[in-house]
């Protein structure tokens, strides 16, 4: 196993496309069928950080959708090096849920490298993401991406960015 | 509570637990290298692993999970599709990893959660649709109200247009019929000259009436198109009011109505305002007063309350009910008396002109008690309209100055106007002879033989027009320039070398005097 192995957790409300984002990232596949996640799904993917000339292996924990976390969910987050926050651009309520989750996570485990994925940008005509929302989450998370698990847009970039953040943190 | 169970129960529980959860146990060191295996791990693909196998590669969820305290993770889906409850139990330097097959429970739970989530999505979608439906209904209601409003406006417009066409048809036909009939009568060989003259007068009257109708309609159209601008210039207010009185008094007299003009002593003479608009407003209002009054009379009163000129026109006519008062200011409206002649545009145009000038028109009336229309428009009193240290009148430009000795006869009964002309003509190097009435102007002109005569048309004794005629009859051939506040007929214009509408454009007048005398 590579020397650089990091655990990252994917969190967000139900049906925002967390599993689809991971499936796109890990297996470059997408399915329109919605299948809810129970517990957690664990997968791995090696990411090349060309700017640093190194590879990082991400152990990706795809946590079941929730609008707030309990003890069971926090157990999944134990030892995580980074967080992938996912919201659905067509459902403003999923940004509210994410706001709650971010607040809970930061209180419980402190700051961790993170990226925000505003997902389903293939349905941009139905998007309800206002500039106010973008500004707010940009301030909360830092790196925000408009992504589509369906087309793959933004997914690779977002996770590579997270890998960069984690490596930068570990090297410092 | 006793924690020990009978052996048979323990055997049953072990059997049941093993059957349902297929426990697999792995002993690992602190680097997650496999030390020993127990149980059946085929269900999670971890069977037959040799010692020292790095278990993290097979079970990546173990990353960071080794702790001094036992840890349990429920429903962990492995990359191979198996689902386990993962238990990590510390044991001295090493750890036990116990995996329990949770696939059955996972699938049951997933089925239930799937239904719940889909229901939530459906509910959210319904809520969105209901919101959208509500928005659409709101838009529909607004759109319908707007359409209703437009339909009503269109219907009203159509009705008004229909009424207008019917009315104008009647209004135009009457004078046209008169013109046609009198013109035919005038060509009859059997009528005398006197009758022919009467026919011509009747034709002229009808033509003037038609002209005024057309003018009113065009004025209204120009106002609608926003093509009417305010043109403020200095003019003589007293002269305007006198002109109007002279114009309206005979019309009132024809109907045996009295006509009184009351001018406040404090009313300034030289003011800056739009004379043409003000004249039109007053003609309309006075014309209406005379038209609708059958007995009694009309009173015109003018006062100045800085900065407003307030002119009221009071009549002893039938009055206007409160319901009709707003309506009479609308286009093509005639109050209660629908039989009255005219386009019904007079008051509407007057109100719009007054507003254009920054003023207003108000109406005070009740049925049987006559009517008082008050026009209030802001004007500049020229006497006050100067900045400190700035001369009231600027000197005439050099190019208008006389270059030889020139005598000018000025005939005007208005001392302000005479003072104004004196100011400019003296500074331009002209000599003046003044006269304040027509007869005196004739005698002085014939006596002094000035190089040019400036004649106000409305002067006492004999009018400026008659004075000019008399001068020509007596052989005076030098230029006579006329000033007038009203239009001159072609015949009247022919008596003069040139004429100027009041307020007189001074620079133009000086240029004209120089051109005709040098």
């Amino acid at each position: 196993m590579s020397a650089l192995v990091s655990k990252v957790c994917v969190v967000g409300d139900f049906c925002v496309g967390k599993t689809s984002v991971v499936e796109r990232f890990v297996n470059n596949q997408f399915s329109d069928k919605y299948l809810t996640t129970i517990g957690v799904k664990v997968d791995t993917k090696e990411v090349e950080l060309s700017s640093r000339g190194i590879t990082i292996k991400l152990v990706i924990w795809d946590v079941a959708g929730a609008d707030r976390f309990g003890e069971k969910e926090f157990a999944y987050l134990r030892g995580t090096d980074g967080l992938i926050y996912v919201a659905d651009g067509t459902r403003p309520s999923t940004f509210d849920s994410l706001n709650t989750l971010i607040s809970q996570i930061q209180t419980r485990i402190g700051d961790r490298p993170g990226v925000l994925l505003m997902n389903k940008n293939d349905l941009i005509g139905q998007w309800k993401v206002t500039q106010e929302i973008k500004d707010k989450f940009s301030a909360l998370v830092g790196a925000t991406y408009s992504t589509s698990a369906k087309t793959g847009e933004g997914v690779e970039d977002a996770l590579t960015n997270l890998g960069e953040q984690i490596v930068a943190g570990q090297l410092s | 509570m006793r924690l020990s169970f009978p052996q048979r129960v323990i055997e049953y529980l072990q059997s049941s637990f093993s059957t349902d959860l297929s426990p697999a146990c792995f002993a690992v060191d602190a680097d997650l290298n496999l030390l020993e295996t127990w149980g059946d791990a085929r269900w999670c693909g971890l069977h037959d692993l040799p010692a020292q196998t790095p278990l993290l590669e097979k079970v990546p969820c173990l990353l960071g999970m080794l702790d001094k305290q036992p840890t349990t993770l429920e429903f962990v889906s492995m990359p191979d599709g198996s689902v386990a409850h993962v238990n990590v139990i510390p044991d001295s330097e090493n750890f036990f990893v116990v995996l329990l097959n949770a696939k059955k429970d996972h699938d049951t739970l997933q089925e239930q959660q799937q239904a719940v989530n889909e229901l939530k999505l459906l509910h959210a979608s319904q809520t969105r649709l209901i919101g959208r439906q509500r928005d659409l209904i709101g838009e529909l209601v607004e759109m319908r109200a707007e359409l209703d409003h437009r339909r009503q406006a269109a219907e009203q417009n159509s009705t008004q247009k229909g009424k207008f066409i019917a009315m104008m048809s009647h209004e135009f036909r009457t004078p046209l019929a008169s013109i046609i009939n009198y013109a035919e009568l005038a060509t009859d060989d059997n009528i005398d000259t006197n009758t022919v003259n009467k026919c011509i007068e009747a034709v002229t009257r009808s033509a003037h009436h038609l002209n005024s109708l057309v003018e009113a309609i065009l004025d209204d159209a120009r106002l609608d198109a926003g093509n009417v601008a305010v043109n403020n210039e200095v003019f003589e207010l007293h002269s305007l009011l006198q002109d109007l009185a002279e114009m309206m008094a005979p019309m009132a007299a024809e109907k045996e109505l009295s006509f009184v003009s009351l001018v406040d002593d404090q009313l300034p003479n030289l003011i800056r305002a739009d004379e043409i608009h003000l004249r039109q407003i007053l003609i309309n209002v006075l014309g209406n007063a005379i038209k609708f009054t059958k007995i009694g009379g009309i009173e015109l009163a003018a006062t100045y309350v800085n900065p407003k000129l307030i002119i009221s026109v009071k009549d002893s006519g039938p009055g206007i009910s409160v319901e009709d008062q707003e309506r009479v200011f609308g286009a093509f409206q005639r109050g209660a008396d629908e039989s009255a002649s005219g386009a019904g545009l007079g008051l509407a145009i007057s109100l719009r002109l007054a507003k254009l000038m920054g003023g207003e028109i108000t109406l005070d009336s009740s049925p049987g008690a006559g009517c008082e229309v008050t026009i209030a428009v802001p004007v500049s009193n020229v006497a006050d309209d100067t900045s400190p240290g700035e001369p009231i009148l600027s000197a005439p430009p050099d190019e208008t100055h006389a270059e030889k000795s020139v005598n000018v006869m000025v005939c005007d009964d208005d001392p302000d106007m005479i003072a104004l002309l004196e100011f400019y003509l003296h500074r331009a190097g002209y000599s003046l002879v003044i006269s304040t009435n027509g007869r005196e102007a004739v005698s002085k002109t014939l006596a002094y033989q000035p190089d040019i005569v400036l004649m106000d048309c409305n002067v006492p004794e004999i009018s400026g027009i008659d004075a000019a005629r008399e001068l020509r009859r007596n052989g005076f051939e030098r230029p006579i320039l006329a000033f007038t506040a009203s239009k001159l007929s072609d015949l009247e214009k022919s008596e003069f070398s040139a004429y100027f509408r009041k307020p007189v454009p001074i620079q133009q007048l000086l240029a004209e005097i120089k051109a005709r005398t040098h």
Side-chain angles (χ1 to χ4, degrees):
Chain A
M1 186 169 277
S2 164
L4 277 175
V5 184
S6 291
K7 172 179 175 179
V8 295
C9 291
V10 187
V11 299
D13 209 340
F14 77 96
C15 199
V16 296
K18 297 182 294 298
T19 305
S20 295
V21 164
V22 175
E23 185 64 11
R24 169 63 68 188
F25 182 62
V26 174
N27 299 316
N28 198 24
Q29 289 178 352
F30 176 79
S31 168
D32 267 322
K33 190 167 184 285
Y34 168 57
L35 192 63
T36 190
T37 302
I38 299 296
V40 65
K41 278 178 83 173
V42 181
D43 235 316
T44 59
K45 166 88 174 180
E46 289 194 348
V47 180
E48 275 186 35
L49 304 177
S50 51
S51 61
R52 296 176 184 276
I54 55 172
T55 300
I56 181 171
K57 183 174 183 176
L58 296 178
V59 179
I60 304 166
W61 290 51
D62 171 17
V63 180
D67 52 9
R68 62 182 302 114
F69 276 180
E71 285 307 314
K72 190 178 81 177
E73 286 80 13
F74 278 120
Y76 298 138
L77 262 60
R78 183 173 170 181
T80 191
D81 297 304
L83 288 145
I84 299 164
Y85 300 106
V86 186
D88 178 350
T90 67
R91 286 157 62 207
S93 64
T94 63
F95 285 87
D96 298 335
S97 308
L98 202 53
N99 191 40
T100 306
L101 293 179
I102 291 171
S103 172
Q104 279 190 297
I105 291 167
Q106 288 185 344
T107 305
R108 185 72 169 252
I109 66 172
D111 278 337
R112 289 284 192 282
V115 287
L116 168 69
L117 276 60
M118 297 179 288
N119 199 32
K120 303 193 186 178
N121 84 352
D122 49 285
L123 302 173
I124 197 82
Q126 300 168 34
W127 263 38
K128 309 270 190 255
V129 186
T130 62
Q131 191 59 43
E132 190 186 356
I133 290 177
K134 286 181 186 174
D135 292 345
K136 178 180 173 179
F137 281 90
S138 186
L140 275 175
V141 180
T144 59
Y145 288 84
S146 170
T147 59
S148 167
K150 187 170 185 175
T151 65
E153 187 182 337
V155 174
E156 183 98 21
D157 289 345
L159 272 80
T160 304
N161 177 299
L162 182 62
E164 291 275 5
Q165 289 185 53
I166 291 167
V167 171
Q170 288 179 350
L171 292 180
S172 67
Chain B
M1 182 186 282
R2 290 180 65 187
L3 291 176
S4 59
F5 293 91
Q7 186 57 36
R8 180 69 192 97
V9 173
I10 291 170
E11 285 171 7
Y12 170 77
L13 288 174
Q14 278 181 335
S15 169
S16 175
F17 184 81
S18 297
T19 306
D20 288 348
L21 299 171
S22 306
C25 178
F26 307 88
V28 295
D29 62 18
D31 294 324
L32 285 166
N33 294 316
L34 184 63
L35 301 175
E36 201 174 345
T37 307
W38 295 269
D40 180 6
R42 276 177 298 188
W43 60 269
C44 56
L46 299 174
H47 56 288
D48 301 333
L49 295 178
Q52 294 304 313
T53 299
L55 199 60
L56 185 60
E57 286 189 4
K58 305 287 182 187
V59 192
C61 70
L62 292 175
L63 180 67
M65 294 301 295
L66 303 185
D67 196 13
K68 288 176 184 170
Q69 299 297 318
T71 308
T72 299
L73 296 175
E74 292 180 353
F75 298 113
V76 179
S77 298
M78 304 295 186
D80 69 347
S82 60
V83 182
H85 295 316
V86 180
N87 301 274
V88 181
I89 304 152
D91 179 40
S92 171
E93 298 299 313
N94 297 328
F95 297 86
F96 290 113
V97 175
V98 180
L99 302 182
L100 305 177
N101 189 349
K103 179 74 174 161
K104 197 174 160 191
D105 287 348
H106 173 274
D107 290 351
T108 306
L109 199 57
Q110 185 175 46
E111 201 176 320
Q112 291 168 351
Q113 192 63 49
Q114 181 83 14
V116 171
N117 286 0
E118 282 178 357
L119 202 62
K120 281 185 186 174
L121 287 173
L122 196 64
H123 182 254
S125 177
Q126 268 182 335
T127 307
R128 232 183 0 253
L129 281 174
I130 289 167
R132 181 71 191 128
Q133 190 183 28
R134 197 174 293 136
D135 289 349
L136 283 173
I137 289 170
E139 283 172 26
L140 205 63
V141 168
E142 271 179 34
M143 206 179 285
R144 187 165 181 168
E146 175 66 21
L147 280 174
D148 273 352
H149 178 70
R150 287 190 186 179
R151 183 179 51 78
Q152 280 172 4
E155 280 174 4
Q156 203 174 353
N157 202 19
S158 174
T159 308
Q160 290 280 20
K161 197 171 170 185
K163 277 174 72 180
F164 170 69
I165 289 169
M167 181 201 53
M168 291 320 294
S169 170
H170 172 260
E171 288 302 325
F172 276 91
R173 277 174 197 279
T174 308
L176 275 173
S178 170
I179 289 169
I180 292 166
N181 292 338
Y182 278 109
E184 281 175 358
L185 182 59
T187 57
D188 192 330
D189 294 338
N190 298 324
I191 60 168
D192 56 27
T193 311
N194 195 30
T195 310
V196 169
N197 285 339
K198 282 184 178 169
C199 287
I200 291 170
E201 280 172 16
V203 166
T204 307
R205 253 194 327 270
S206 295
H208 278 303
H209 179 57
L210 270 179
N211 186 50
S212 66
L213 280 175
V214 171
E215 285 289 335
I217 293 163
L218 289 178
D219 282 345
D220 191 61
R222 274 194 287 267
L223 280 161
D224 272 345
N227 286 341
V228 180
V230 174
N231 184 22
N232 288 332
E233 284 182 357
V234 176
F235 67 94
E236 292 180 72
L237 177 60
H238 290 196
S239 176
L240 169 65
L241 294 173
Q242 189 181 332
D243 278 357
L244 290 168
E246 284 172 7
M247 188 190 303
M248 296 296 165
M251 289 167 64
E254 265 183 35
K255 292 182 73 177
E256 296 181 351
L257 301 172
S258 65
F259 187 94
V260 180
S261 176
L262 303 170
V263 177
D264 189 344
D265 288 343
Q266 302 302 312
L267 193 71
N269 185 26
L270 282 182
I271 62 167
R272 181 176 283 112
D274 191 317
E275 185 198 1
I276 293 173
H277 289 352
L278 185 60
R279 181 184 291 272
Q280 190 173 353
I281 292 169
L282 289 169
I283 287 173
N284 286 340
V285 174
L286 285 165
N288 273 351
I290 293 170
K291 191 199 292 183
F292 291 105
T293 304
K294 289 176 181 158
I295 301 168
I298 317 298
E299 184 183 293
L300 169 71
T303 57
Y304 177 70
V305 180
N306 192 11
K308 282 193 174 172
L309 169 66
I310 299 167
I311 300 176
S312 68
V313 175
K314 204 185 290 186
D315 67 49
S316 57
I320 302 169
S321 67
V322 176
E323 304 85 71
D324 285 337
Q325 283 183 18
E326 198 171 324
R327 205 162 62 85
V328 294
F329 284 106
F332 312 119
Q333 302 291 342
R334 294 156 160 167
D337 187 0
E338 289 287 335
S339 65
S341 66
L345 285 168
L347 268 183
I349 290 172
S350 298
L351 180 63
R352 292 168 80 175
L353 288 176
K355 285 186 172 172
L356 204 61
M357 293 169 74
E360 59 189 343
I361 297 181
T362 53
L363 195 151
D364 183 14
S365 179
S366 56
C371 179
E372 182 173 7
V373 177
T374 303
I375 302 124
V377 288
V379 299
S380 297
N381 180 355
V382 171
D384 297 337
D385 191 19
T386 52
S387 307
E390 190 179 304
I392 291 173
L393 301 169
S394 54
D398 290 344
E399 63 269 20
T400 60
H401 284 201
E403 290 166 18
K404 63 176 189 178
S405 172
V406 176
N407 289 320
V408 181
M409 155 62 76
V410 175
C411 177
D412 203 310
D413 59 338
D414 180 357
D416 290 329
M417 190 60 189
I418 290 172
L420 191 75
L421 289 171
E422 269 186 314
F423 173 86
Y424 281 108
L425 290 171
H426 275 152
R427 274 160 185 74
Y430 293 97
S431 305
L432 262 66
V433 178
I434 307 290
S435 130
T436 55
N437 67 63
R439 197 167 298 289
E440 187 188 42
V442 172
S443 61
K444 281 188 177 178
T445 301
L446 294 175
Y448 298 120
Q449 289 296 313
D451 298 288
I452 190 165
V453 174
L454 310 184
M455 181 74 76
D456 182 13
C457 291
N458 292 305
V459 283
E461 301 284 338
I462 60 171
S463 74
I465 298 159
D466 288 340
R469 282 183 186 137
E470 199 164 331
L471 284 172
R472 295 299 186 218
R473 273 201 299 275
N474 284 283
F476 183 77
E477 292 179 353
R478 289 177 179 169
I480 305 175
L481 309 185
F483 308 145
T484 175
S486 50
K487 282 186 179 173
L488 295 179
S489 68
D490 288 345
L491 191 63
E492 289 166 338
K493 283 178 195 169
S494 69
E495 305 294 343
F496 299 99
S497 312
Y499 77 100
F500 292 89
R501 290 292 299 272
K502 285 184 174 181
V504 179
I506 291 295
Q507 308 305 339
Q508 252 179 278
L509 175 67
L510 290 172
E512 188 72 28
I513 292 170
K514 187 168 183 182
R516 291 193 180 271
T517 57
H518 284 67

